[in-house]
Amino acid sequence: CNGTRCGDYDGRVGIVTVPLAGAMKGRNTLEIDFRWLWAQTHHNTDGLLGDLYIDYVGDVHVADVYAKPSWRRAALAAEIELANDRDQPVMATVRAQVVKNGRVKLFLPPVEVSVPAKGKTTAETSSGWGDPQPWGIGGKYGDPELYDLVTDVQVQGVTVDRHVQRFGFREFWIRHTDFFLNGRRIILQGDTGHPGISTGRGRDIFWPLLRADGINTVRYHDSEFWSVNAARGADRMGMLTYAQCYPVFPDSAEEPVTEGQHDFNRANYLRWWRTLRNHPSVVIWSLDNEVFTQGKHQPKRLKKGIRDDTEMGRYEKWLHGVDPTLVLTRDGDGG
């Protein structure tokens, strides 16, 4: 910003927040330097798959919100992450409410939390909700209804921040071999990779045609798997989605996965999860693409496939520990 370096990002997916340094009143010049982007060279996708926002927040503010609806419990829970840039800890009151079309539909109980100096903390609140309009996929499953979870942060009675998080009231789960969406068994009919889902015009043209053909699910594949724009479009248009991410592993089966690679992969999966977790359209999460199928005709690659699948199983258990509600697979193309 104006020639001052502000930060770095070395992952493959996620909503990235970079505090600006060197900003001034009036005209500012921002420069973004892309040094390495695997997908851009691998799949010929140019530019940023998303939006660039310049935002201003106070020194005590909402850093992130996770809206957690439960159809089976008829309830809504929220995890609200607060950040404090001050040199001293502060007591903050968090007030969250669900809003639709300018009307409050649900008040969540207020919560008081202590936010450490130069640190973060998470406030949790929940309430029963007997009459939400569930997010569906159209037709007999309902319409893709969306709500706003509006969070106010107050310090000493003064509102210092307001945060708005879009979400849908829906719950998706597996029982035995069946999928359920909001209490109803649903057949997922989709494809293994629909190109162009990051492009709004492409979605406008192709998704109604897919839906007319009985297809209710599309998969984020390769250069599309990190696009939050695709998830926003699916939320609005009522299309279920199958999100995918990738790990970084050595090419050789004889070479062990390093701790640095494990750290990179876990950080990348967390960014991916945090980016998409509030989108009701995302119902299946795939931690890889073709763990075995890439090597099915190459016996020399079988050992690498076994090594990779073993590591992916560990990541799957780890991410389920982070969020037990996720429906996970680790072989998106074959699974």
Side-chain angles (χ1 to χ4, degrees), residues 251-280:
D251 289 333
S252 170
E254 309 301 328
E255 188 179 349
V257 183
T258 67
E259 282 304 310
Q261 288 168 329
H262 281 311
D263 291 342
F264 177 92
N265 291 335
R266 283 189 288 263
N268 211 45
Y269 283 132
L270 282 177
R271 283 188 291 259
W272 173 61
W273 166 68
R274 289 170 70 97
T275 298
L276 297 176
R277 63 185 181 176
N278 285 301
H279 292 281

Side-chain angles (χ1 to χ4, degrees), residues 151-206:
T151 302
D152 288 339
V153 181
Q154 296 179 336
V155 176
Q156 296 181 342
V158 177
T159 299
V160 296
D161 191 32
R162 168 167 287 180
H163 180 279
V164 179
Q165 176 62 58
R166 183 65 55 89
F167 77 101
F169 191 97
R170 76 102 177 95
E171 190 173 7
F172 180 83
W173 68 91
I174 295 177
R175 184 174 183 270
H176 303 308
T177 58
D178 292 327
F179 297 109
F180 289 86
L181 176 66
N182 299 332
R184 293 188 179 186
R185 180 174 177 266
I186 181 173
I187 302 297
L188 301 185
Q189 181 67 35
D191 62 2
T192 58
H194 177 61
I197 63 175
S198 293
T199 305
R201 186 58 178 157
R203 294 192 298 267
D204 291 343
I205 294 172
F206 286 109

Side-chain angles (χ1 to χ4, degrees), residues 314-329:
R314 296 187 179 120
Y315 288 147
E316 192 173 305
K317 292 180 180 178
W318 162 77
L319 192 55
H320 251 151
V322 173
D323 189 344
T325 69
L326 300 182
V327 176
L328 293 173
T329 181

Side-chain angles (χ1 to χ4, degrees), residues 54-123:
I54 299 176
D55 196 12
Y56 173 82
V57 294
D59 49 12
V60 180
H61 59 272
V62 175
D64 202 6
V65 169
Y66 186 12
K68 303 170 68 175
S70 174
W71 184 91
R72 287 176 285 187
R73 295 194 302 271
L76 175 68
E79 295 179 4
I80 301 165
E81 186 180 83
L82 300 179
N84 176 20
D85 296 332
R86 299 180 184 180
D87 294 327
Q88 300 293 328
V90 298
M91 288 298 300
T93 301
V94 179
R95 301 182 185 276
Q97 52 198 347
V98 177
V99 177
K100 184 174 178 63
N101 297 328
R103 294 180 177 270
V104 176
K105 300 295 184 179
L106 180 72
F107 287 100
L108 295 172
V111 181
E112 288 194 4
V113 293
S114 176
V115 192
K118 301 293 184 181
K120 294 181 179 180
T121 193
T122 299

Side-chain angles (χ1 to χ4, degrees), residues 7-79:
D8 298 282
Y9 169 71
D10 64 353
R12 294 179 174 175
V13 62
I15 296 175
V16 181
T17 300
V18 179
L20 293 183
M24 63 182 69
K25 185 176 180 179
R27 182 182 180 90
N28 290 265
T29 301
L30 299 180
E31 178 182 350
I32 304 175
D33 183 12
F34 297 101
R35 297 180 181 273
W36 175 79
L37 283 178
W38 170 84
Q40 269 69 350
T41 56
H42 187 60
H43 289 284
N44 299 317
T45 301
D46 298 320
L48 290 168
L49 288 178
D51 300 317
L52 180 65
Y53 295 95
I54 299 176
D55 196 12
Y56 173 82
V57 294
D59 49 12
V60 180
H61 59 272
V62 175
D64 202 6
V65 169
Y66 186 12
K68 303 170 68 175
S70 174
W71 184 91
R72 287 176 285 187
R73 295 194 302 271
L76 175 68
E79 295 179 4

Side-chain angles (χ1 to χ4, degrees), residues 253 292 294-306:
F292 277 116
Q294 281 186 343
K296 64 183 178 182
H297 301 306
Q298 304 176 45
K300 64 181 181 179
R301 292 181 62 86
L302 180 60
K303 189 174 181 180
K304 180 180 186 303
I306 294 173

Side-chain angles (χ1 to χ4, degrees), residues 194-199 201-213 215 218 220 229-241 281:
H194 177 61
I197 63 175
S198 293
T199 305
R201 186 58 178 157
R203 294 192 298 267
D204 291 343
I205 294 172
F206 286 109
W207 284 7
L209 297 177
L210 294 176
R211 289 295 306 280
D213 228 12
I215 292 176
V218 292
Y220 301 175
N229 286 342
R232 291 169 182 156
D235 292 345
R236 293 191 302 268
M237 298 174 70
M239 182 69 81
L240 298 176
T241 56
S281 58

